[in-house]
Amino acid sequence: MNTVLDCRGLDAGYAGHSVVRDFDLDVGAGEVVALLGPNGAGKTTVLLSLAGLIPRLGGEVSLLGRALHGGRPTTVSRLGMVLVPDDRALFTTLTSLENLQLARRRGGMDIQEVLTHFPALRERLDVKAGMLSGGEQQMLAVGRALIQRPKVLLLDEMSMGLAPTVVESLLRGLRRIATESGVAVVLVEQHVTLSLEVADRAVVLTHGAVTLRGTAAELAADPNLLRRSYLGAQHG
Ligand SMILES: Nc1ncnc2c1ncn2[C@@H]1O[C@H](COP(=O)(O)OP(=O)(O)OP(=O)(O)O)[C@@H](O)[C@H]1O
Ligand SMILES: [Mg+2]
């Protein structure tokens, strides 16, 4: 596997106190890895730490074999690790097009190229981001991230507050993007069954520690194993 993101022994948390300990994760080009787990498990903390938004308290992270030494979030994103946060962080009073143009101010993917992934957005370019539907906002947030031609896309609960049919189409779209563009995706999701349908592998985090990892097919085939891992039981 062509490893894009390699994270070893990551400790992450707040004010010097680790809430995630000794976390390992590797993701290859075009691969989708679902990061699952109950509320408060530390999933967002992992993403924030990988993106450089909170300091790393321990461990090593490398991107395409190059060590990342923490550093500012803008440096990390310029090196190719881009986070779509759970609040989507759009400029709600600017139009969709203006949001995309802002993301492109330092160059990157052509806006027309991004729109090939989200044809529904074409009709909505003149609409203020705050007036878009939740699904459209999420497409815009992912589109804005893709403009930067990320090597790794970190997605935090893109389905928050969305109807199940919208979630399904977003996740399937994301699967296609990963396969076609080769971007490595870390997908934090509460929709476990759907995530396992589109992911290649999954990792379950509970109370800051990994309690299960495997291929998405293995985990989908054994709901009891998955349930136990959510309750914090270590496996294997
Ligand atoms: N800014 C913060 N300062 C201190 N502790 C925090 C902060 N943010 C989160 N935590 C704590 O870190 C732990 C992990 O939180 P995190 O947000 O990473 O969980 P999560 O798995 O993303 O949960 P959810 O599914 O609810 O989004 C929790 O105990 C939480 O209270
Ligand atoms: Mg979270």
Side-chain angles (χ1 to χ4, degrees), residues 44 86 156-157:
T44 295
D86 52 9
D156 200 357
E157 303 218 22

Side-chain angles (χ1 to χ4, degrees), residues 92-136:
T92 51
T93 57
L94 300 183
T95 66
S96 307
L97 182 60
E98 288 164 343
N99 270 275
L100 294 172
Q101 284 168 335
L102 267 178
R104 218 181 160 274
R105 66 194 185 281
R106 284 194 215 92
M109 191 187 279
D110 193 78
I111 288 176
Q112 288 306 320
E113 193 182 339
V114 175
L115 291 173
T116 60
H117 295 297
F118 307 105
L121 278 186
R122 274 187 213 284
E123 321 288 312
R124 310 290 280 158
L125 289 176
D126 296 332
V127 177
K128 289 199 167 70
M131 302 298 283
L132 296 174
S133 72
E136 289 167 343

Side-chain angles (χ1 to χ4, degrees), residues 39-40 42-45 86 156-157 188 190:
N39 294 122
K43 306 178 297 294
T44 295
T45 303
D86 52 9
D156 200 357
E157 303 218 22
V188 167
Q190 296 291 355

Side-chain angles (χ1 to χ4, degrees), residues 29-42:
E31 204 182 18
V32 177
V33 176
L35 178 55
L36 308 173
N39 294 122

Side-chain angles (χ1 to χ4, degrees), residues 14-15 18 47 57 69 91 95 126 151 170 190 197 201:
Y14 306 89
S18 295
L47 298 193
L57 302 175
H69 302 288
F91 296 102
T95 66
D126 296 332
K151 310 279 190 303
L170 270 173
Q190 296 291 355
E197 280 176 27
R201 289 184 291 127

